Each structure stands twice: as C-alpha cells, then as structure tokens.
Amino acid sequence: MARKYVIGGNWKSNGTQASVASLIEMLNGVTVDTESVEVVIAPPAIFLATAKANLKPEIQVSAQNVSLTGLGAYTGEIAAEHLVDLGVQWTLTGHSERRALYGETDFVVAEKTKRALDHGLNVILCVGESLDERKSDQTLNVITRQLKAVADLLVNDLSLWSRVVVAYEPVWAIGTGVVATPEQAQDAHKNLRAYVTSHINPEVASELRIIYGGSVNAKNSAELIALHDVDGFLVGGASLKPEFVDIIQSAQ
Ligand code: G3H
C-alpha cells in the first residue's frame, strides 16, 4: 500500500497574532488532497487554540512539544491531555532544538513519545545527526540509537507505530540553507527503514512514513519528494512563507 505523504510546517517560536492570522488565511486557501497528503501545522503552543479553531479541517494541528507528565502540579507544562482536549491531533517529539537546548535525552524523548501515543496523539518523532557525527561516520549509529530508545518502549504494542512519523532532520541542515543532497537523504531514510525492518517489524517498516527536514524550500522539494524513501517533509523557515504552498503542491 502506498504511503500517504506528510507535509509538516514547524513554526518554531515564531509569529504574532497578526502573522498567524495571515498564515492561517494562506493555508485555508490551499486545496489539500487528503487522499494523497496530510498537512500538519505546528504553531507555538500559545497559538494552538487559534490554529485549531481557524484552520480548515483538512489541515491538522500539532504541538511542537508535549509534557512527560500529565495534568497536575507541573507548572508551565502542556500535557497530552490538554492537547487531546483541544482537538489537537499531533505532537512533535525530539526536535533537535529540544534535544540540544533543553537537554532532552533519547530516553526523555522516548517517554514523551510513548505517553503521547498512549493518549491517542499522532507523533512526529525527530531524529538526526550533528555535523561532527556525520563527519565521523556516526550518522547511522546516532539515528538508530535515537529510534531504538522509542522502539524499546513500544515493543509490547507494535500497533502504536501506525501513529508515528519519523522525521529525519540532520542538525547541520536545519536553518542553515544547506539541504541534504538527494543521495544523503535517500541513504538515511533507506537505512532507517532497513533498521525498522530488522529490529522492529517488516510491516511496520513498509508502512512507516519517514519525512525529511532541514532547509526544505520550494526549489528543492520536488526533487526530494521524488525519492523512494522520502514520504514528505518537516519544514521550518519556509513554512512561514508563501512558498510553503508550493511545497504542499509538490506532494500532490
Ligand atoms: O522542524 C523543522 C526543521 O527544524 C527544519 O527547519 O526548514 O528552517 O531548516 P528549516
């Protein structure tokens, strides 16, 4: 069965009430063929309710992060329960900015992923190597280590993988304008899928959407999405611009 593309827009910690209103207007003007693509927008948490209330239903909403804990005395946290209550369908986990700037370990990312899945959310799980790791030939070790931490927690319920999308985001490509070459992207995605085949389950592997993130724009999206193991994108900077519409179009 063909895998449905996922095009994610991660707005990171950007936007004002005014700019968010225009982005929502722009997105509502896009024809989304939901048979072939899922469009998932991750605004900052403070705009989740606005996005959920105002985006058309063909466009799904994601949190950028989710708490390790539930409802209760956890000041400043947004729990999976809050997201579900708001009708938010997705969360990102393990974005490299959370790993690098907020100390999220593989285990924390895995626990957040499991907790989000257990509460019914879909998860875009981000993995990726740093430039040093790539230069020292550690790419596959790093991304499979990050994935294994999650696999270890899902081992008793493989059906949860149907709600996971893996985003391969090489850290050196994020926000740098240096996009992975088609060979680098296809190689990493193919290797990740092979890892899932041999270490998790072949059926999970063939159905798992593995999307690419890192300096995707309207100029490079068509070539990247044509790759066999690239099932869409997680777009940062370009998701705040009109060219995001062209990136969505490249998937349908
Ligand atoms: O989550 C998105 C990624 O960090 C990619 O960001 O498209 O600005 O390179 P970017």
Side-chain angles (χ1 to χ4, degrees), residues 44-65:
I46 198 160
F47 296 124
L48 279 170
T50 303
K52 187 62 206 161
N54 294 292
L55 278 169
K56 60 182 181 179
E58 299 95 298
I59 298 183
Q60 303 175 66
V61 176
S62 175
Q64 297 174 9
N65 180 29

Side-chain angles (χ1 to χ4, degrees), residues 17 23 40-41 44 76 88 115 126 155 172 209 229 239 241 251:
Q17 294 188 71
L23 281 169
V40 180
I41 299 300
V88 168
R115 195 170 192 287
C126 305
V155 72
W172 47 269
R209 274 92 57 88
D229 286 291
S239 71
K241 300 178 187 164

